Amino acid sequence: MAIEKIVIAGGGTMGSQIAFQIAFSGLYVTIYDVSPAASAAAKRRVMTWDRTYMRERKATPAVIKAANDHLRYATDLETAVEDADLVIETIPEVVAVKNEFYASLAKVAPDKTIFATSTSTMVPSQFSAITGRPGKFLALHFTNHVWANHLAEIMGHPGTDPAVFQEVVTFVRQIGLIPIQLEKEHPAYILNAMLDSFLSTALMLWVEGVADFETIDRTWMMATDAVRGPFAVLDEIGLQTAYQLMLGASAEPGREGLVMVAHRIKVDLIDQHRLGQETGAGFYQYPHPAYQREGFLQGK
């Protein structure tokens, strides 16, 4: 089966990026959100990707219009998925929320539809039974700045049909990305498993008062010639996501100290509506963050 009609469940920062990349590649995609307000916010996010693709992908106005012509928006789940080949779930990293979504989706999706979770930290076997179609369920994880990072990680569970897995591999190539195929389930896949140690270490240094976040970023950037440090990366990911990741990791043996990190992120940032790049403020202020300032590496 060729995957031609896709639904993205959740039009947040990642969901809207994924949807636009798919539409930019010439496929039809519907962004499903639970309310008109959430749908309107998704449309506003997509407008930012219009400008980004024109700037970074050198897309012409005609190409951008064609991409937008392939986008639809819906607030009724049954209507959104009525002829879907693939549904990619990009809703919050909360087990109960995902369970509720999949229970509802299973009741209205056609038998042909493949379900994919874009969870950053969980594994598909956690949700395979509730989907009602374990053979047609897997994880499909995209990275922030989809248009520039060019990869998507694909992770099945023991019950995933190998033919379905390969259909998703083909789909990833069709939308201009490189499929990273995992041979077994692993929380956080490959990329986030490595990124977790990087970010949690930086956050612990900050919470324990070893150095302020700018000094930590500056150190990393100088030593590795990177264009951004861990706190700039956290702003890109989004601090609500970072909070959930740190809170979840704090339940692991030996990582209990991360609960302090989660608490600090919430109090210092989330409660102040500093959610990262999307809101214009996180650790840094946007659109002109300090780490891009001339002299930042010299502490000026």
Side-chain angles (χ1 to χ4, degrees):
M1 180 190 78
I3 295 175
E4 297 176 340
K5 297 180 180 179
I6 302 94
V7 173
I8 305 298
T13 300
M14 281 308 306
S16 61
Q17 282 188 48
I18 297 164
F20 196 82
Q21 177 67 24
I22 293 169
F24 184 75
S25 302
L27 300 179
Y28 286 96
V29 58
T30 298
I31 300 177
Y32 162 75
D33 273 299
V34 295
S35 69
S39 187
K43 291 178 184 178
R44 291 193 296 271
R45 292 186 187 97
V46 165
M47 289 177 64
T48 69
W49 309 138
D50 287 353
R51 295 189 292 271
T52 298
Y53 276 63
M54 291 179 73
R55 183 178 65 252
E56 299 191 22
R57 296 291 303 271
K58 309 304 180 187
T60 65
V63 169
I64 294 300
K65 182 182 183 303
N68 280 284
D69 287 346
H70 282 78
L71 278 166
R72 302 288 185 273
Y73 299 86
T75 55
D76 179 76
L77 183 60
E78 185 172 5
T79 301
V81 305
E82 61 184 357
D83 194 32
D85 299 315
L86 172 67
V87 174
I88 303 173
E89 166 265 305
T90 67
I91 64 179
E93 291 285 274
V94 179
V95 171
V97 174
K98 290 185 186 292
N99 278 336
E100 182 179 359
F101 171 75
Y102 283 116
S104 299
L105 180 62
K107 295 175 183 177
V108 297
D111 290 340
K112 69 171 183 175
T113 309
I114 297 169
F115 297 173
T117 177
S118 70
T119 175
S120 298
T121 59
M122 304 174 195
V123 292
S125 58
Q126 290 179 248
F127 308 102
S128 59
I130 201 166
T131 67
R133 58 188 72 195
K136 292 183 177 179
F137 179 63
L138 42 61
L140 176 58
H141 180 250
F142 298 82
T143 64
N144 199 23
H145 295 178
V146 170
W147 64 90
N149 289 328
H150 305 303
L151 66 85
E153 295 172 292
I154 307 168
M155 177 169 64
H157 64 91
T160 301
D161 184 337
V164 168
F165 190 98
Q166 288 305 314
E167 286 176 28
V168 175
V169 169
T170 299
F171 163 73
V172 168
R173 292 193 174 110
Q174 190 175 357
I175 62 172
L177 304 179
I178 298 169
I180 306 299
Q181 303 175 53
L182 277 69
E183 297 181 3
K184 61 181 292 187
E185 285 189 303
H186 188 280
Y189 309 81
I190 297 171
L191 180 61
N192 279 352
M194 295 187 288
L195 193 60
D196 171 70
S197 296
F198 171 59
L199 297 179
S200 60
T201 299
L203 284 163
M204 285 299 295
L205 290 169
W206 171 63
V207 167
E208 291 176 353
V210 175
D212 60 62
F213 70 87
E214 288 190 343
T215 298
I216 297 168
D217 271 3
R218 185 178 296 117
T219 302
W220 182 261
M221 292 166 68
M222 291 178 68
T224 65
D225 202 28
V227 297
R228 61 181 62 84
F231 292 91
V233 172
L234 286 160
D235 279 352
E236 289 184 3
I237 292 170
L239 296 171
Q240 288 179 313
T241 297
Y243 169 76
Q244 292 292 344
L245 294 176
M246 294 301 115
L247 197 61
S250 72
E252 299 172 13
R255 306 189 76 191
E256 295 82 1
L258 290 178
V259 73
M260 296 187 302
V261 169
H263 175 75
R264 182 83 179 271
I265 291 172
K266 184 175 186 305
V267 171
D268 286 15
L269 297 152
I270 294 174
D271 289 352
Q272 310 306 318
H273 200 61
R274 300 174 67 92
L275 307 183
Q277 285 188 7
E278 184 177 358
T279 59
F283 284 98
Y284 294 94
Q285 296 281 345
Y286 297 89
H288 304 294
Y291 65 84
Q292 292 181 348
R293 184 181 65 228
E294 185 177 354
F296 176 76
L297 295 183
Q298 292 74 38
K300 298 177 181 178

